[in-house]
Amino acid sequence: MQAVHTLRFGDPTVLDVVTGLPDPEPGPGEVTIDVSHAAVGLIDLLLREGRFKDRPGMPQPPFIPGLEVAGTVRALGPGVSGLSTGEQVVALSAGSGTGGYASVYRAKAELTVSIEGRGIDAALAVSVIPNAAMAHVALTRVAHLAEGESVLVHGALGGLSAAFPGIAKQLGAARVVGTVRPGRLAVAEATRLPYDRIVDSTDLHNALGDEKFDVVIDPVGGTLRTRSLDVMAPGSRLIAAGNASDDWGHEVDTNQLWLRSVTVSGFNAGAFLPTHPRFVPAALAAAVEATAAGLMETDVDVLPFSQAVTAHRRMESRDLNGRIALTPEP
């Protein structure tokens, strides 16, 4: 097996391609996948840096990064049904956050979905279907989005955020607005994602006027999280879904929650999905349908495993307008 691994925590240069590793074998309820594409996400960078090294269950070197893969089913473990060898699939991590940057990946069957015959490009599939499934769970099980409600999505073009407009529209949202940094507004104008509008995140008052939202998705954090309270209607819900601002000291004044009659909830897919697996199949099915319907269109740059360092550097510099996927070397 070929893989990108890291022997220590650190900057992107700790990533290295290795060959000759033993191929994983599927256990009960598992499948192995011949990987065609592995998604590169922000969480991969955080795990590589060792940001969560002291938290129980987080990977320790040496490990292979990567949470999401696309490819074809290589083998079925005992008790697996509904999938066939050679079938095109996308698979999510079971919560460990590792193993994806490899030519063979072992996945739980319940976290694997078929895209066979759907006409979805594999690079796009791995880049959007996992995040779309997470968005579906967040909107239905945490935000409890109702038909006709409005949604505001911060960091509108980011990997996770980009999944929300399509899923929100699929669930009946009446309006979906995104926010980006001022320097990203020109790129936002060209997006194919189904936003009704994308505005400057640093000037919500002037950009939105008196408009209020029923659901706010915030993977950015920092002061933007607090400023979001000003555009929330009574009874609205904010989902804290990340901290791209890297402001770990920011706090929300809970007195503002009861005064405004709003809710702030956290959503971490790595914690939620493994403990609530019954919600995953429907979310994955919805994600495939939304992707096939063209609601998840975004640019994907495909790089070989040998350019994993470049991929992580580009992620760190935010030098991309869509997603990055890695593919095994020929």
Side-chain angles (χ1 to χ4, degrees), residues 55 87 124 134 138 153 156 171 205 234 260 278 321 328:
R55 297 193 180 187
E87 189 170 5
L124 178 65
M134 296 175 202
V153 183
L171 292 170
H205 176 72
R260 298 169 185 262
R278 65 190 182 279
N321 296 327

Side-chain angles (χ1 to χ4, degrees), residues 152 156 175-179 194-199 206-209 211:
L152 180 68
R175 181 168 169 79
V176 183
V177 174
T179 78
Y195 285 106
D196 293 291
R197 186 184 178 202
I198 297 180
V199 302
N206 287 327
L208 297 172
E211 186 172 7

Side-chain angles (χ1 to χ4, degrees), residues 188-271:
E189 290 180 1
T191 185
R192 291 167 287 165
L193 296 169
Y195 285 106
D196 293 291
R197 186 184 178 202
I198 297 180
V199 302
D200 182 350
S201 62
T202 66
D203 192 15
L204 295 182
H205 176 72
N206 287 327
L208 297 172
D210 295 329
E211 186 172 7
K212 305 293 182 183
F213 295 87
D214 301 298
V215 172
V216 177
I217 305 300
D218 178 26
V220 176
T223 58
L224 183 59
R225 189 158 295 165
T226 297
R227 287 187 281 115
S228 298
L229 301 180
D230 293 333
V231 297
M232 295 175 66
S236 60
R237 294 82 70 199
L238 184 150
I239 304 301
N243 187 31
S245 68
D246 207 27
D247 182 354
W248 294 94
H250 180 266
E251 298 179 353
V252 174
D253 180 2
T254 56
N255 284 320
Q256 291 298 317
L257 306 185
W258 74 266
L259 285 169
R260 298 169 185 262
S261 192
V262 299
T263 300
V264 175
S265 300
F267 178 73
N268 175 353

Side-chain angles (χ1 to χ4, degrees), residues 131 153 155-166 193-195 295-296 298 323:
N131 282 331
V153 183
L157 305 182
L160 178 59
S161 295
F164 278 91
L193 296 169
Y195 285 106
L295 295 173
M296 297 289 159
T298 191
R323 299 296 309 278

